[in-house]
Amino acid sequence: MTKNDNPADPTGLNTQLVRAGYDPFDYHGFINPPKVHASTVLFPDAQTMERHGQKYTYATRGTPTTDALCDAINELEGAAGTILVPSGLAAVTTALLAYLSPGDHALIVDSVYGNVRQFCDTMLSRFGVEVQYYDPLIGRDVEALFRANTKLVHTEAPGSNTFEMQDIPAIAEVAHRHDAVVTMDNTWATPLFFKPLDAGVDVSIQASTKYPAGHADVLMGSISANARHWRALKRANAALGFCGTPDDAYQVLRGLRTMGVRLERHQANGLAVAKWLEGRSDVVRVLHPALESFPGHALWRRDFKGAGGVFSFVLAAGQTTDFKRKAQSFLDGFSLFGLGYSWGGYQSLALHVDLSDRTVTPAPVEGPLIRLQIGLEDVEDLIADLERAFAASSTV
Ligand SMILES: Cc1ncc(COP(=O)(O)O)c(C=O)c1O
């Protein structure tokens, strides 16, 4: 695992993950923080209540459990502040609501997580925000899309399902010259492999559901802002009333402690499978930023310290033009890979990607796109399972 790059704290990232956010001697030496279930917090007298003169005032504004997680995430992200919300999707939508107003223009990457597009095309548009999708490969040419009312650029690298790399520092530099906020969904890399705020992003978003929680049993999202944008985020959160529950915050902090070692395994297994797929004649191409053959590889190598375990590949259609049937026969051939949404848990998963909602980037024409989340199993067993899936689809 790479070194932590904070010069004030020269410990390694795994050491940081083990200690971040909570000092056991703040709570009688217990190594994990207390799980505080709360709504009401009592004040000792009316004057203190009037002044809100104590650290905790009401549980929507934080508890010792959610604070331990937020403090840990602040350390990892290098953020001025972090808020917790009930899902990764809510983390993106809350960030967009925090910085956009009626009459604003927002630039959203075309490879954005699909449910965010749904939010933009419905609620955000209904609230009078003009949304424009841009090519994930646009880099600094994004400047041509700026208007006088462009207030926000949303990025996600690599992109959902198709894994395009974005030139985040270049986009952030352009956006800041136009006084626009830059938000980034960094769920794939986590702050261990890419630190958005160090690269010029203002607001770093994480679906904690994935690698931080790590066991496919928790939904949570985090939003971390730099000093300039923290107040607006905190205000929006207070107005909306979204908050993380103590049980989920506890589970995510618990997951963070082991995220480094899990990610190393996701990365190694994922790359081994991706390279194996590259060698097959029934695979058209593998969309994985850490592969040298991938068009965005140079950007990944320049900016990222590692890779998540999720990627896609184009399955050769062979004789058929029925991509859906081909994909279904492939997926039904698995016995170890689960068929299900989400990723970041310990089990490997697969799905057929639907790109029909994209408006800028084209879908592959050579065959169906299959997304794999590579889990923590033994890689030989995963490859044997993939062999079964290829065999099952070969007759279609
Ligand atoms: C990149 C990305 N961001 C956000 C989300 C949303 O996370 P959640 O499932 O917690 O809403 C997902 C879910 O798959 C995702 O892939």
Side-chain angles (χ1 to χ4, degrees):
M1 178 61 57
T2 25
K3 291 295 275 184
N4 164 17
D5 41 26
N6 175 3
D9 174 9
T11 53
L13 276 170
N14 283 304
T15 309
Q16 194 182 20
L17 279 174
V18 163
R19 303 169 63 89
Y22 169 69
D23 179 349
F25 292 99
D26 284 349
Y27 195 71
H28 311 291
F30 288 101
I31 197 161
N32 290 297
K35 202 194 279 177
V36 176
H37 287 99
S39 54
T40 302
V41 183
L42 295 181
F43 299 88
D45 51 57
Q47 237 194 22
T48 313
M49 188 178 193
E50 199 81 47
R51 290 188 283 116
H52 276 188
Q54 61 189 30
K55 183 166 182 190
Y56 297 106
T57 56
Y58 191 63
T60 53
R61 308 285 174 111
T63 65
T65 316
T66 56
D67 271 5
L69 176 59
C70 289
D71 290 349
I73 297 173
N74 284 338
E75 277 184 47
L76 297 174
E77 299 270 6
T82 291
I83 61 171
L84 304 175
V85 292
S87 68
L89 175 59
V92 186
T93 59
T94 303
L96 298 181
L97 287 172
Y99 300 106
L100 288 166
S101 304
D104 288 350
H105 173 241
L107 290 167
I108 309 286
V109 67
D110 194 46
S111 49
V112 70
Y113 170 57
N115 290 311
V116 173
R117 178 186 289 269
Q118 168 80 0
F119 169 78
C120 290
D121 292 346
T122 55
M123 211 170 256
L124 212 51
S125 301
R126 184 151 59 76
F127 289 164
V129 174
E130 201 182 341
V131 171
Q132 183 177 357
Y133 295 99
Y134 67 90
D135 184 341
L137 306 181
I138 199 166
R140 64 177 62 254
D141 291 344
V142 73
E143 184 134 32
L145 305 182
F146 272 78
R147 305 178 192 166
N149 61 339
T150 305
K151 290 288 159 55
L152 181 142
V153 183
H154 181 64
T155 62
E156 184 184 325
S160 273
N161 297 323
T162 38
F163 299 91
E164 296 90 342
M165 288 300 301
Q166 291 198 257
D167 191 340
I168 299 292
I171 291 172
E173 189 274 319
V174 170
H176 290 155
R177 264 195 286 114
H178 292 264
D179 211 20
V181 182
V182 181
T183 54
M184 178 177 184
D185 183 335
N186 186 43
T187 302
W188 185 83
T190 83
L192 298 197
F193 290 157
F194 182 68
K195 282 195 197 299
L197 302 188
D198 289 355
V201 168
D202 300 301
V203 179
S204 172
I205 296 161
Q206 193 60 209
S208 322
T209 307
K210 320 294 181 200
Y211 292 123
H215 294 74
D217 55 357
V218 174
L219 285 163
M220 183 170 261
S222 69
I223 318 167
S224 304
N226 61 16
R228 179 150 184 244
H229 293 92
W230 167 233
R231 263 189 67 181
L233 182 63
K234 199 171 171 206
R235 262 205 312 265
N237 189 230
L240 289 163
F242 297 154
C243 47
T245 71
D247 295 302
D248 294 341
Y250 182 91
Q251 289 288 83
V252 171
L253 186 61
R254 190 177 196 264
L256 270 189
R257 305 301 186 203
T258 59
M259 187 171 76
V261 288
R262 285 187 286 105
L263 261 178
E264 281 183 35
R265 174 72 171 222
H266 284 293
Q267 168 169 243
N269 275 4
L271 258 174
V273 171
K275 284 182 179 156
W276 178 80
L277 287 170
E278 260 195 323
R280 291 188 66 99
S281 58
D282 41 10
V283 169
V284 179
R285 64 183 167 276
V286 183
L287 312 181
H288 189 311
L291 290 179
E292 280 180 19
S293 59
F294 187 69
H297 179 71
L299 274 181
W300 174 81
R301 181 168 286 284
R302 186 191 74 184
D303 293 343
F304 283 50
K305 290 186 173 145
V310 192
F311 64 94
S312 296
F313 70 93
V314 182
L315 175 63
Q319 303 305 314
T320 184
T321 52
D322 188 345
F323 288 4
K324 198 177 271 185
R325 206 169 131 245
K326 181 84 181 175
Q328 284 173 359
S329 66
F330 182 85
L331 295 176
D332 285 341
F334 280 129
S335 57
L336 287 178
F337 277 79
L339 309 187
Y341 298 107
S342 204
W343 44 277
Y346 50 83
Q347 186 187 347
S348 292
L349 302 172
L351 54 78
H352 176 208
V353 174
D354 175 8
L355 294 176
S356 57
D357 60 355
R358 295 273 172 99
T359 51
V360 182
T361 50
V365 292
E366 304 94 331
L369 189 63
I370 306 290
R371 190 184 80 182
L372 300 177
Q373 120 83 10
I374 303 298
L376 307 179
E377 300 94 334
D378 295 302
V379 75
E380 301 76 16
D381 295 331
L382 295 178
I383 286 176
D385 206 34
L386 280 157
E387 303 248 27
R388 284 189 280 274
F390 280 109
S393 69
S394 65
T395 53
V396 173

